[in-house]
Amino acid sequence: MLGQSPDALVGGLTDSAPGGRKTRERKLEANMESVSCSAAAVRTGDMESQRDLSLVPERLQRREQERQLEVERRKQKRQNQEVEKENSHFFAATFARERAAVEELLERAESVERLEEAASRLQGLQKLINDSVFFLAAYDLRQGQEALARLQAALAERRRELQPKKRFAFKTRGKDAASSTKVDAAPGIPPAVESIQDSPLPKKAEGDLGSSWVCGFSNLESQVLEKRASELHQRDVLLTELSNCTVRLYGNPNTLRLTKAHSCKLLCGPVSTSVFLEDCSDCVLAVACQQLRIHSTKDTRIFLQVTSRAIVEDCSGIQFAPYTWSYPEIDKDFESSGLDRSKNNWNDVDDFNWLARDMASPNWSILPEEERNIQWD
């Protein structure tokens, strides 16, 4: 033992002691496991740190993209508002100028030529309104339509004033004279049929339709009814309390109103302004118009040409398809109406009783193509 240090002697004694070697080995194994776990923890921490560092730029980049998109959306919104404002100012100025010109023509109209010029300008005003539907406020649009309706009524009145008065003559009471008074009656209609002829209605009806002159049919059943272009031009048409009737309206009315109709077929040429349906059921319609509003109606198919959006309210079972009715003079009537035939929002419908945007309204639908083959004649 000479030449050995005290520590070596102690270690030797420890190793030679019973169980000393095993105790030392267990301690070494424990120390190694501790070191290994520490190293693994360090590596795991390094990996987490690296992952966090790699995610930071991605999050920042995504946030920056979202910020830029929001800035672009706000910029686009401001631009759209500016464009709408400019369009509204343009509409107001143009409408006021053309309206004043038409009023002057009507006030000083002493010939058919001046009336035709006024009529042409009114068509331009109608087209201006039709083209401005999508950006005008509802109030401005309604004011423009009401002003246009008043001008159209004034034009019709001036035309009647300039028509040559009939000479006084004694009328015979023969069969020929009696038959001549029935010219406006539709074929197959008995003399007792009530037809709203070309005469002014009481003031109450005038106020309801917004026009001083109305024509149409009422209180009829199982009849075929017709009105020609000369009877309808820029007139307000009222059809009410009809059952199982077929109605053909050739020409260009100003407005059309159908109420309390059941199992009827209505075919109408282009309507300059609005079509209104109320309390109807099991009907088929073909209409072209600027605006369509349907109220309290059910189980009705509508073949539609409309430049704005159709509106349904308190309705069920309404089906829409594109307008397909045609007749020889329809191109001329479309031109007279001021409607833009290239714009047709027949399947763009607002349901005032259905506010959910993520689900389709159950109150209206698109008519399947295989069910659109309708025999109009």
Side-chain angles (χ1 to χ4, degrees):
M1 302 241 176
L2 294 176
Q4 293 184 354
S5 64
D7 292 338
L9 290 173
V10 173
L13 290 173
T14 303
D15 291 340
S16 61
R21 183 182 299 272
K22 292 181 178 180
T23 301
R24 183 180 178 190
E25 289 177 353
R26 283 196 297 270
K27 288 183 178 179
L28 287 174
E29 289 176 358
N31 290 336
M32 291 179 65
E33 289 178 359
S34 176
V35 170
S36 176
C37 291
S38 299
V42 170
R43 286 195 299 270
T44 303
D46 291 342
M47 292 176 63
E48 292 290 339
S49 299
Q50 291 176 1
R51 185 162 59 248
D52 291 341
L53 289 174
S54 65
L55 290 177
V56 168
E58 183 179 350
R59 292 197 191 107
L60 290 177
Q61 185 177 6
R62 185 165 57 248
R63 188 177 300 173
E64 177 64 17
Q65 290 175 349
E66 292 174 354
R67 188 189 68 80
Q68 292 177 357
L69 288 174
E70 182 63 24
V71 170
E72 188 64 26
R73 278 195 294 267
R74 292 179 180 178
K75 181 180 177 181
Q76 188 63 40
K77 184 178 180 181
R78 286 196 302 270
Q79 291 176 348
N80 292 340
Q81 290 175 344
E82 291 174 358
V83 170
E84 288 185 2
K85 188 175 181 181
E86 291 176 359
N87 288 338
S88 298
H89 287 325
F90 172 79
F91 171 83
T94 305
F95 190 89
R97 183 178 65 252
E98 289 300 307
R99 176 181 178 179
V102 172
E103 289 174 344
E104 183 178 359
L105 284 170
L106 295 177
E107 184 178 353
R108 300 181 180 181
E110 297 179 355
S111 64
V112 176
E113 288 76 12
R114 291 183 70 85
L115 287 183
E116 291 305 319
E117 182 181 352
S120 177
R121 284 181 174 269
L122 280 179
Q123 291 179 12
L125 278 178
Q126 181 66 69
K127 189 175 187 307
L128 176 64
I129 291 177
N130 294 346
D131 293 341
S132 307
V133 165
F134 291 101
F135 63 81
L136 278 182
Y139 175 80
D140 295 333
L141 181 61
R142 185 170 62 253
Q143 292 294 312
Q145 290 172 341
E146 291 176 355
L148 181 63
R150 287 193 293 270
L151 290 174
Q152 289 169 340
L155 174 63
E157 181 65 25
R158 290 296 291 160
R159 277 177 170 162
R160 284 188 292 273
E161 291 176 356
L162 289 180
Q163 284 179 354
K165 295 182 179 180
K166 295 181 180 180
R167 289 186 173 183
F168 175 78
F170 290 103
K171 294 183 178 180
T172 59
R173 290 187 171 272
K175 293 183 179 179
D176 294 338
S179 62
S180 66
T181 62
K182 304 297 181 181
V183 172
D184 291 336
I189 300 178
V193 165
E194 295 182 21
S195 173
I196 304 171
Q197 299 298 329
D198 299 344
S199 58
L201 291 182
K203 292 294 182 181
K204 182 178 180 181
E206 292 176 14
D208 289 343
L209 292 174
S211 176
S212 60
W213 289 82
V214 180
C215 65
F217 302 99
S218 66
N219 299 297
L220 297 174
E221 183 176 355
S222 302
Q223 299 288 338
V224 177
L225 311 169
E226 291 187 359
K227 288 284 186 183
R228 292 290 170 178
S230 59
E231 304 171 85
L232 296 179
H233 185 68
Q234 290 301 313
R235 305 286 295 279
D236 296 316
V237 179
L238 172 61
L239 306 171
T240 181
E241 298 189 27
L242 304 178
S243 178
N244 197 31
C245 291
T246 297
V247 184
R248 298 187 185 93
L249 304 176
Y250 301 94
N252 167 219
N254 181 49
T255 63
L256 171 63
R257 187 183 186 101
L258 176 66
T259 64
K260 299 179 181 178
H262 176 69
S263 297
C264 290
K265 182 187 292 185
L266 169 61
L267 315 176
C268 185
V271 180
S272 293
T273 55
S274 302
V275 174
F276 184 76
L277 275 68
E278 186 174 25
D279 294 332
C280 298
S281 62
D282 299 301
C283 292
V284 178
L285 290 81
V287 291
C289 57
Q290 177 186 335
Q291 293 181 334
L292 172 67
R293 183 154 187 171
I294 312 168
H295 188 263
S296 301
T297 294
K298 62 181 182 179
D299 303 328
T300 293
R301 292 172 290 171
I302 302 175
F303 293 78
L304 179 63
Q305 168 97 25
V306 64
T307 57
S308 60
R309 295 166 69 99
I311 295 173
V312 298
E313 187 175 12
D314 299 330
C315 296
S316 64
I318 309 298
Q319 293 182 297
F320 292 94
Y323 183 80
T324 55
W325 190 47
S326 184
Y327 53 91
E329 298 295 326
I330 193 170
D331 292 335
K332 179 180 177 182
D333 292 332
F334 261 105
E335 183 178 355
S336 174
S337 70
L339 298 178
D340 186 352
R341 298 189 76 174
S342 65
K343 293 182 180 179
N344 189 4
N345 300 312
W346 64 273
N347 58 349
D348 195 358
V349 181
D350 286 332
D351 185 353
F352 281 6
N353 299 109
W354 190 259
L355 302 180
R357 295 185 177 274
D358 56 341
M359 295 179 62
S361 168
N363 301 317
W364 70 272
S365 62
I366 302 299
L367 184 66
E369 292 189 9
E370 61 270 18
E371 298 179 21
R372 298 179 186 178
N373 295 325
I374 303 295
Q375 297 296 325
W376 298 121
D377 297 328

